[in-house]
Structures are given as C-alpha cells and as structure tokens.
Amino acid sequence: METEKNLVLSKSDSWKMFNSIAGRYDFLNRLLSLGQDIRWRNALKKFLADSDNQTILDLATGTADVLITLAKGNPKVHRGYGVDPAVKMLEIGREKIKRQRLDDRLMLQQGDAQALPFLDGTFDCVTISFGIRNIPDLRLALLEMYRVTKKGGRVLILEFSKPENPLLKAGHWLYLQTFVPLVGFMFSGNFKAYTYLNQTIQTFPYGDRFCKILKQMGFVNIEPHPLMGGAATIYVAQK
Ligand SMILES: C[S@@+](CC[C@H](N)C(=O)[O-])C[C@H]1O[C@@H](n2cnc3c(N)ncnc32)[C@H](O)[C@@H]1O
C-alpha cells in the first residue's frame, strides 16, 4: 500500500485540492471518464437492498452525484445524508439538489469519514464512491461505516480498480499516465490533482485485497462486482 510521503499530495490535504477544483469537478469527471462515471454511479442503484423508505448516508459525497442518482424517482430512498470535508464541493452539490427539487429529502454536511457525527446503527445503507482511496486512514473510515450501518444493512463502495486482462491493463495505465493528467491540467490548471488521481488509483488495494480488509473490519457477504473489465469495482458488503 502507498505511504503518504510517496504521494504528490498528502491524503489528509486532498479535500483542499477538491475545494480548489470544485467548479470544474463534474465537467472533468464526465470528460476524463468519457461519461462512464454516470453509468458507474447508476450501477450502484441496482445494489440497494430490496426495500422502500431507506435512510442512506453517502460519504465523500462531493457534488452529490451519488445521492441524486440513488434518490431521484426511487421509492427505495426516503432520506439521504451526504458528508464531505470540502465545503466548495458541497455548495455545488446543494445547488444541484435544489435544482432537482430533492432538498426535502437530501441533506449535505461538512465532515470527515473517519469520525462521523451519527449514532450507531442509523443507516440502512452507507455508500462511498471514488472516495475511499482519498481517506488517510482507510480502516478507520470502514469501521465508522460499519458502526453507523444498521445490523443487516448494506455498504456499497464504488472505487477505481485495475483490469485483469494484460492488454486492457496496459491501455488503462497509459490512459492514467498521460490522458488524465494532461486533460485534467488543461481544464483545471491543477496538474497535482490529476497526478494524485493516477497515483491513488495505482496504489489502492483493489479486488480480493480490498475484500479481505472489509472482512477484517467485520463485514459479511462481501461481493466485488467489476465494471468495464475491472476499471472500477462496486463492493457490496453487509453488517
Ligand atoms: C473523487 S471525489 C468523489 C466525489 C463523489 N463521491 C463522486 O462520486 O463524484 C473524492 C471526495 O473525497 C472527499 N474527501 C477527502 N477526504 C475525505 C475525508 N477524510 N472524509 C470524507 N471525504 C473526504 C473529497 O473532498 C472529495 O469530494
């Protein structure tokens, strides 16, 4: 696993970087993933438990795309809470929630995934998308996710991973090494941010290694669901 000192940007400061690129974040997500990020967040929806009126928590919620995707027109989600330390990302998220007329059901608040301001067993489902690899203490965040989930409730984690197929893996590496930092810099002016993105993807313990960590934290019924040949994975786990 990576150490903080090997990263171009410390994970404990990553939220400040997200504040500085907040205005361009959604646009760059669409551009750099060639629209796949929308499909991947939509795929999360399929893994919600089969019951209505759930209360969900989305960590590293950023500009609230996950909450909006999960809650819009979906009777399974009654109320959703989003937590992120980056206020500027949250401001954009709140505007989007208002525009979608979801502000009576979705609420955002500033906070850290490693120390959640919620009681034990509060949520039917806790989600985090493209966020877990930014958290300085991965295990602490997973323990917090476990703590605030109801017994029998679900955790859904969407994160970048690496394809298994050697050809896809090489293409994926090249894309992260060249296209992402170059286009990211061109449109955000922040080279560090998109080099950091590549570094954290390359070093994150994806697949079986991540499932093992989930098991160590107490989760059961753990399933990895690779997307697009393994470029991203949805991990489903139960408390
Ligand atoms: C790549 S963005 C993902 C945003 C959103 N989930 C999405 O799917 O677009 C990563 C987010 O992690 C947040 N983050 C960084 N450190 C965090 C922490 N300690 N606790 C919670 N969120 C954190 C950042 O502020 C940023 O908004």
Side-chain angles (χ1 to χ4, degrees):
M1 219 182 291
E2 81 278 14
T3 56
E4 282 275 312
K5 68 177 166 44
N6 290 332
L7 290 172
V8 64
L9 187 97
S10 153
K11 284 193 182 186
S12 35
D13 283 339
S14 78
W15 61 273
K16 294 181 193 159
M17 178 271 286
F18 282 102
N19 262 339
S20 73
I21 61 166
R24 293 250 128 184
Y25 177 80
D26 284 347
F27 165 73
L28 274 165
N29 255 355
R30 298 306 97 86
L31 182 68
L32 292 173
S33 73
L34 308 171
Q36 290 305 308
D37 67 306
I38 299 178
R39 282 187 57 196
W40 292 342
R41 286 194 204 85
N42 269 319
L44 262 189
K45 215 171 172 172
K46 295 187 210 134
F47 294 102
L48 281 171
D50 224 2
S51 54
D52 283 354
N53 291 322
Q54 298 181 45
T55 301
I56 65 170
L57 170 67
D58 182 47
L59 299 176
T61 198
T63 59
D65 274 346
V66 171
L67 281 180
I68 293 170
T69 305
L70 294 182
K72 202 172 168 194
N74 187 2
K76 286 187 179 178
V77 176
H78 170 59
R79 214 166 272 281
Y81 297 83
V83 167
D84 197 294
V87 274
K88 291 218 158 61
M89 296 282 275
L90 295 177
E91 275 166 22
I92 292 169
R94 285 193 189 101
E95 281 167 24
K96 284 158 65 178
I97 287 173
K98 214 166 174 184
R99 272 203 304 275
Q100 301 278 347
R101 297 177 202 272
L102 290 167
D103 43 335
D104 54 337
R105 290 166 61 209
L106 302 181
M107 276 133 289
L108 305 184
Q109 70 183 80
Q110 192 184 19
D112 184 339
Q114 300 162 117
L116 294 172
F118 301 106
L119 296 175
D120 297 2
T122 304
F123 299 98
D124 298 291
C125 183
V126 178
T127 59
I128 183 163
S129 120
F130 307 118
I132 195 82
R133 62 171 213 291
N134 294 303
I135 313 282
D137 191 332
L138 166 69
R139 284 171 174 77
L140 194 54
L142 290 174
L143 284 176
E144 277 294 81
M145 290 169 80
Y146 186 88
R147 181 182 68 75
V148 301
T149 303
K150 286 181 187 166
K151 183 104 184 107
R154 268 187 202 186
V155 160
L156 306 179
I157 299 169
L158 167 58
E159 192 47 87
F160 291 112
S161 45
K162 288 188 251 177
E164 287 305 314
N165 177 299
L167 213 66
L168 273 181
K169 198 172 194 159
H172 182 248
W173 183 85
L174 208 67
Y175 154 84
L176 288 174
Q177 280 293 107
T178 55
F179 180 75
V180 169
L182 208 76
V183 176
F185 172 66
M186 274 164 59
F187 287 95
S188 74
N190 192 329
F191 188 69
K192 258 190 179 180
Y194 289 90
T195 309
Y196 168 81
L197 174 78
N198 178 24
Q199 278 193 338
T200 51
I201 295 173
Q202 291 298 341
T203 52
F204 187 73
Y206 67 98
D208 289 345
R209 277 175 71 202
F210 189 65
C211 291
K212 222 172 180 173
I213 298 173
L214 285 170
K215 196 171 169 203
Q216 285 165 1
M217 298 302 111
F219 290 102
V220 293
N221 299 328
I222 301 157
E223 291 170 12
H225 295 270
L227 306 169
M228 226 178 97
T233 301
I234 293 176
Y235 302 89
V236 183
Q238 198 178 15
K239 176 170 175 180

